[in-house]
PDB file of all heavy atoms in Angstrom:
ATOM      1  N   ASP A 279      16.989   1.530  11.933  1.00 95.00           N
ATOM      2  CA  ASP A 279      17.561   1.161  13.215  1.00 95.00           C
ATOM      3  C   ASP A 279      16.485   0.527  14.137  1.00 95.00           C
ATOM      4  O   ASP A 279      16.787  -0.364  14.927  1.00 95.00           O
ATOM      5  CB  ASP A 279      18.269   2.332  13.903  1.00 95.00           C
ATOM      6  CG  ASP A 279      19.581   2.659  13.328  1.00 95.00           C
ATOM      7  OD1 ASP A 279      20.098   1.866  12.495  1.00 95.00           O
ATOM      8  OD2 ASP A 279      20.147   3.737  13.647  1.00 95.00           O
ATOM      9  N   GLY A 280      15.269   1.058  14.040  1.00 94.00           N
ATOM     10  CA  GLY A 280      14.177   0.599  14.907  1.00 94.00           C
ATOM     11  C   GLY A 280      13.552  -0.697  14.422  1.00 94.00           C
ATOM     12  O   GLY A 280      12.809  -1.331  15.192  1.00 94.00           O
ATOM     13  N   ILE A 281      13.746  -1.054  13.169  1.00 95.00           N
ATOM     14  CA  ILE A 281      13.124  -2.286  12.615  1.00 95.00           C
ATOM     15  C   ILE A 281      14.207  -3.148  11.923  1.00 95.00           C
ATOM     16  O   ILE A 281      13.933  -3.840  10.955  1.00 95.00           O
ATOM     17  CB  ILE A 281      11.970  -1.984  11.662  1.00 95.00           C
ATOM     18  CG1 ILE A 281      12.404  -1.004  10.544  1.00 95.00           C
ATOM     19  CG2 ILE A 281      10.788  -1.423  12.391  1.00 95.00           C
ATOM     20  CD1 ILE A 281      11.315  -0.824   9.480  1.00 95.00           C
ATOM     21  N   GLN A 282      15.423  -3.103  12.480  1.00 92.00           N
ATOM     22  CA  GLN A 282      16.547  -3.782  11.882  1.00 92.00           C
ATOM     23  C   GLN A 282      16.297  -5.266  11.721  1.00 92.00           C
ATOM     24  O   GLN A 282      16.743  -5.913  10.753  1.00 92.00           O
ATOM     25  CB  GLN A 282      17.824  -3.501  12.666  1.00 92.00           C
ATOM     26  CG  GLN A 282      19.065  -4.139  12.112  1.00 92.00           C
ATOM     27  CD  GLN A 282      19.579  -3.473  10.853  1.00 92.00           C
ATOM     28  OE1 GLN A 282      19.453  -2.258  10.743  1.00 92.00           O
ATOM     29  NE2 GLN A 282      20.150  -4.216   9.930  1.00 92.00           N
ATOM     30  N   ASP A 283      15.577  -5.881  12.729  1.00 93.00           N
ATOM     31  CA  ASP A 283      15.367  -7.330  12.657  1.00 93.00           C
ATOM     32  C   ASP A 283      14.378  -7.712  11.548  1.00 93.00           C
ATOM     33  O   ASP A 283      14.106  -8.886  11.365  1.00 93.00           O
ATOM     34  CB  ASP A 283      14.959  -7.886  14.010  1.00 93.00           C
ATOM     35  CG  ASP A 283      13.690  -7.292  14.568  1.00 93.00           C
ATOM     36  OD1 ASP A 283      13.155  -6.330  13.974  1.00 93.00           O
ATOM     37  OD2 ASP A 283      13.206  -7.768  15.613  1.00 93.00           O
ATOM     38  N   ASN A 284      13.802  -6.766  10.862  1.00 95.00           N
ATOM     39  CA  ASN A 284      12.971  -7.073   9.685  1.00 95.00           C
ATOM     40  C   ASN A 284      13.852  -7.503   8.511  1.00 95.00           C
ATOM     41  O   ASN A 284      13.344  -8.092   7.536  1.00 95.00           O
ATOM     42  CB  ASN A 284      12.138  -5.880   9.251  1.00 95.00           C
ATOM     43  CG  ASN A 284      10.930  -5.666  10.150  1.00 95.00           C
ATOM     44  OD1 ASN A 284      10.867  -6.214  11.240  1.00 95.00           O
ATOM     45  ND2 ASN A 284      10.002  -4.840   9.729  1.00 95.00           N
ATOM     46  N   TYR A 285      15.130  -7.102   8.547  1.00 93.00           N
ATOM     47  CA  TYR A 285      15.961  -7.285   7.344  1.00 93.00           C
ATOM     48  C   TYR A 285      17.188  -8.138   7.513  1.00 93.00           C
ATOM     49  O   TYR A 285      17.877  -8.401   6.552  1.00 93.00           O
ATOM     50  CB  TYR A 285      16.369  -5.857   6.839  1.00 93.00           C
ATOM     51  CG  TYR A 285      15.162  -5.039   6.560  1.00 93.00           C
ATOM     52  CD1 TYR A 285      14.750  -4.025   7.419  1.00 93.00           C
ATOM     53  CD2 TYR A 285      14.363  -5.309   5.450  1.00 93.00           C
ATOM     54  CE1 TYR A 285      13.624  -3.293   7.184  1.00 93.00           C
ATOM     55  CE2 TYR A 285      13.213  -4.534   5.207  1.00 93.00           C
ATOM     56  CZ  TYR A 285      12.841  -3.548   6.067  1.00 93.00           C
ATOM     57  OH  TYR A 285      11.704  -2.835   5.846  1.00 93.00           O
ATOM     58  N   ILE A 286      17.470  -8.597   8.741  1.00 92.00           N
ATOM     59  CA  ILE A 286      18.587  -9.527   8.933  1.00 92.00           C
ATOM     60  C   ILE A 286      18.151 -10.931   8.515  1.00 92.00           C
ATOM     61  O   ILE A 286      16.995 -11.170   8.123  1.00 92.00           O
ATOM     62  CB  ILE A 286      19.068  -9.526  10.416  1.00 92.00           C
ATOM     63  CG1 ILE A 286      17.943  -9.990  11.352  1.00 92.00           C
ATOM     64  CG2 ILE A 286      19.607  -8.162  10.782  1.00 92.00           C
ATOM     65  CD1 ILE A 286      18.377 -10.086  12.807  1.00 92.00           C
ATOM     66  N   HIS A 287      19.094 -11.899   8.584  1.00 92.00           N
ATOM     67  CA  HIS A 287      18.822 -13.235   8.096  1.00 92.00           C
ATOM     68  C   HIS A 287      17.549 -13.857   8.721  1.00 92.00           C
ATOM     69  O   HIS A 287      17.334 -13.747   9.906  1.00 92.00           O
ATOM     70  CB  HIS A 287      19.981 -14.180   8.434  1.00 92.00           C
ATOM     71  CG  HIS A 287      19.816 -15.598   8.030  1.00 92.00           C
ATOM     72  ND1 HIS A 287      19.734 -15.985   6.708  1.00 92.00           N
ATOM     73  CD2 HIS A 287      19.608 -16.729   8.770  1.00 92.00           C
ATOM     74  CE1 HIS A 287      19.570 -17.282   6.664  1.00 92.00           C
ATOM     75  NE2 HIS A 287      19.475 -17.765   7.875  1.00 92.00           N
ATOM     76  N   ALA A 288      16.702 -14.416   7.882  1.00 92.00           N
ATOM     77  CA  ALA A 288      15.404 -15.051   8.266  1.00 92.00           C
ATOM     78  C   ALA A 288      14.339 -14.003   8.652  1.00 92.00           C
ATOM     79  O   ALA A 288      13.218 -14.348   8.970  1.00 92.00           O
ATOM     80  CB  ALA A 288      15.577 -16.032   9.404  1.00 92.00           C
ATOM     81  N   GLN A 289      14.721 -12.756   8.671  1.00 94.00           N
ATOM     82  CA  GLN A 289      13.774 -11.636   8.938  1.00 94.00           C
ATOM     83  C   GLN A 289      12.856 -11.934  10.131  1.00 94.00           C
ATOM     84  O   GLN A 289      11.620 -11.931  10.018  1.00 94.00           O
ATOM     85  CB  GLN A 289      12.987 -11.362   7.655  1.00 94.00           C
ATOM     86  CG  GLN A 289      13.907 -10.941   6.525  1.00 94.00           C
ATOM     87  CD  GLN A 289      13.159 -10.588   5.257  1.00 94.00           C
ATOM     88  OE1 GLN A 289      12.835 -11.496   4.463  1.00 94.00           O
ATOM     89  NE2 GLN A 289      12.885  -9.349   4.992  1.00 94.00           N
ATOM     90  N   PRO A 290      13.427 -12.134  11.306  1.00 96.00           N
ATOM     91  CA  PRO A 290      12.591 -12.510  12.500  1.00 96.00           C
ATOM     92  C   PRO A 290      11.595 -11.397  12.850  1.00 96.00           C
ATOM     93  O   PRO A 290      10.521 -11.717  13.438  1.00 96.00           O
ATOM     94  CB  PRO A 290      13.612 -12.697  13.610  1.00 96.00           C
ATOM     95  CG  PRO A 290      14.822 -11.913  13.150  1.00 96.00           C
ATOM     96  CD  PRO A 290      14.836 -12.039  11.677  1.00 96.00           C
ATOM     97  N   GLY A 291      11.921 -10.142  12.593  1.00 96.00           N
ATOM     98  CA  GLY A 291      10.972  -9.094  12.908  1.00 96.00           C
ATOM     99  C   GLY A 291       9.672  -9.209  12.152  1.00 96.00           C
ATOM    100  O   GLY A 291       8.580  -9.042  12.686  1.00 96.00           O
ATOM    101  N   ILE A 292       9.790  -9.504  10.857  1.00 97.00           N
ATOM    102  CA  ILE A 292       8.620  -9.702  10.030  1.00 97.00           C
ATOM    103  C   ILE A 292       7.849 -10.974  10.421  1.00 97.00           C
ATOM    104  O   ILE A 292       6.618 -10.977  10.486  1.00 97.00           O
ATOM    105  CB  ILE A 292       8.991  -9.725   8.534  1.00 97.00           C
ATOM    106  CG1 ILE A 292       9.422  -8.329   8.105  1.00 97.00           C
ATOM    107  CG2 ILE A 292       7.817 -10.199   7.665  1.00 97.00           C
ATOM    108  CD1 ILE A 292       9.918  -8.222   6.659  1.00 97.00           C
ATOM    109  N   GLN A 293       8.582 -12.019  10.738  1.00 97.00           N
ATOM    110  CA  GLN A 293       7.920 -13.256  11.174  1.00 97.00           C
ATOM    111  C   GLN A 293       7.101 -12.996  12.418  1.00 97.00           C
ATOM    112  O   GLN A 293       5.975 -13.468  12.523  1.00 97.00           O
ATOM    113  CB  GLN A 293       9.002 -14.317  11.520  1.00 97.00           C
ATOM    114  CG  GLN A 293       9.923 -14.698  10.358  1.00 97.00           C
ATOM    115  CD  GLN A 293       9.278 -15.629   9.370  1.00 97.00           C
ATOM    116  OE1 GLN A 293       8.241 -16.262   9.646  1.00 97.00           O
ATOM    117  NE2 GLN A 293       9.886 -15.806   8.208  1.00 97.00           N
ATOM    118  N   ARG A 294       7.604 -12.186  13.357  1.00 97.00           N
ATOM    119  CA  ARG A 294       6.917 -11.872  14.576  1.00 97.00           C
ATOM    120  C   ARG A 294       5.699 -10.996  14.276  1.00 97.00           C
ATOM    121  O   ARG A 294       4.608 -11.239  14.815  1.00 97.00           O
ATOM    122  CB  ARG A 294       7.861 -11.166  15.550  1.00 97.00           C
ATOM    123  CG  ARG A 294       7.228 -10.829  16.887  1.00 97.00           C
ATOM    124  CD  ARG A 294       8.247 -10.219  17.842  1.00 97.00           C
ATOM    125  NE  ARG A 294       8.852  -8.983  17.327  1.00 97.00           N
ATOM    126  CZ  ARG A 294      10.086  -8.876  16.879  1.00 97.00           C
ATOM    127  NH1 ARG A 294      10.889  -9.953  16.861  1.00 97.00           N
ATOM    128  NH2 ARG A 294      10.561  -7.730  16.462  1.00 97.00           N
TER     129      ARG A 294
END
Side-chain angles (χ1 to χ4, degrees):
D279 282 350
I281 54 173
Q282 182 72 35
D283 60 352
N284 283 16
Y285 302 104
I286 61 176
H287 178 67
Q289 299 181 275
I292 290 178
Q293 301 282 346
R294 183 174 60 251

